Amino acid sequence: MARFRPEPYPAPEHDSHTGVLLVTLGTPEAPTAKALRPWLRQFLSDPRVVELPRLIWQPILNGIILTTRPARSAEKYASIWTAEGSPLKVHTNRLAALLDDSLNQEQGNGDIIVACAMRYGSPSIVDTLTDLRARATRILVVPLYPQFAGSTTGSVLDEVALAMRTWRNLPELRFVRSFHDDPGYIAALAASVREHWAQHGQGDCLVASFHGQPVRTNKLGDPYRAECLTTARLLREALALPPEALRVTFQSRFGCGKWLEPHTLPTLESLAASGVKRVDVVCPGFVADCLETLEEIAILCRDAFLARGGEAFHAISCLNSRPEWVNALDGLVRWHLVGWV
């Protein structure tokens, strides 16, 4: 049973202040095995991510995975790490700062406070929410996952609830469930593809690669696959492409269970073997470049495509902090803040 602690902070000075919490998956603090081990432990211990009984999974996690995977993952992170740090954290912090400026430019008094947190890693959801509640009586939580999945958005909501479990004075709370069909998000995606084509030319095929998910979760009612397909269709329509010009695939398989198909890497290899010379890959499920886009797609998949006879491979950058994406997120947040601001 939860124990309700004394309030660690006084009530906010200004009742009009509203907090906006952007939440992304997270990243280790450094591209090292030492930093990867606790991060992977937190990530893979989430029952939303690995839906196995703890008595079965924990010995596998602690006895096998955490003794072998951190070093391999560290090499991958090292290949995409920047002088500023993790690309995911850099882009998310930049997005939060730009969104804060955008939301407050009319009022000019900082009534809306934008913060960002990592579901796994630092800054944590618990710490960031605790800081926000000292300054705001209303909080909008925005998981930066366009398509809803229990393992992503659902997990964020779990952690938010856990953070507030022992609070006495609760803030008003709202959530953005998903934005897979939001017009601003689709327009920003289309703009990023058009800009890439304007600079580099258009390939023979556009592949939209989404993060994978076990088929079992889809059968149990998770709407993720359907929302991915909706996003891809809307993007194709915005680009005025015929149905055959865009392929939907799923990447980042983990474990030995059956995952959503078609898989990205085999699809790219097949395209190259069939005579496709140039391919462009966009990742609509990731709003910021990260390990999955910069290493798995831009390095691993590129090498596989070229090895099978392809001649040109282009990974289109994620939305990151593009002006169109900042504007789209501004509109999405304002819509969800109606009645508060």
Side-chain angles (χ1 to χ4, degrees), residues 42-193:
Q42 183 188 15
F43 174 45
L44 297 176
S45 293
D46 187 342
R48 288 275 198 175
V49 174
V50 180
E51 298 183 17
L52 289 174
R54 288 182 61 84
L55 288 176
I56 296 175
W57 175 240
Q58 284 300 315
I60 298 173
L61 175 62
N62 292 293
I64 301 175
I65 293 176
L66 292 180
T67 59
T68 60
R69 185 160 178 168
R72 296 201 304 268
S73 295
E75 291 180 3
K76 295 180 179 181
Y77 274 101
S79 71
I80 58 103
W81 213 257
T82 72
E84 297 176 88
S86 164
L88 176 64
K89 182 174 285 190
V90 170
H91 290 308
T92 304
N93 287 337
R94 191 171 297 151
L95 176 66
L98 290 170
L99 180 64
D100 190 281
D101 289 343
S102 179
L103 290 171
N104 287 296
Q105 64 183 353
E106 292 179 11
Q107 291 88 350
N109 55 8
D111 280 345
I112 302 176
I113 304 163
V114 179
C116 59
M118 306 291 155
R119 174 60 185 90
Y120 314 103
S122 177
S124 70
I125 291 175
V126 173
D127 289 344
T128 310
L129 274 177
T130 300
D131 179 66
L132 268 181
R133 73 188 285 245
R135 299 183 287 160
T137 57
R138 303 177 293 260
I139 298 175
L140 172 68
V141 180
V142 188
L144 292 175
Y145 306 110
Q147 298 79 26
F148 179 92
S151 58
T152 53
T153 306
S155 179
V156 169
L157 304 191
D158 288 346
E159 193 71 3
V160 169
L162 182 64
M164 296 185 175
R165 189 179 179 191
T166 58
W167 293 2
R168 291 181 179 273
N169 187 10
L170 297 176
E172 288 188 78
L173 200 63
R174 292 180 182 176
F175 298 98
V176 175
R177 176 195 176 277
S178 67
F179 48 92
H180 67 287
D181 58 355
D182 177 74
Y185 158 69
I186 298 297
L189 280 175
S192 71
V193 175

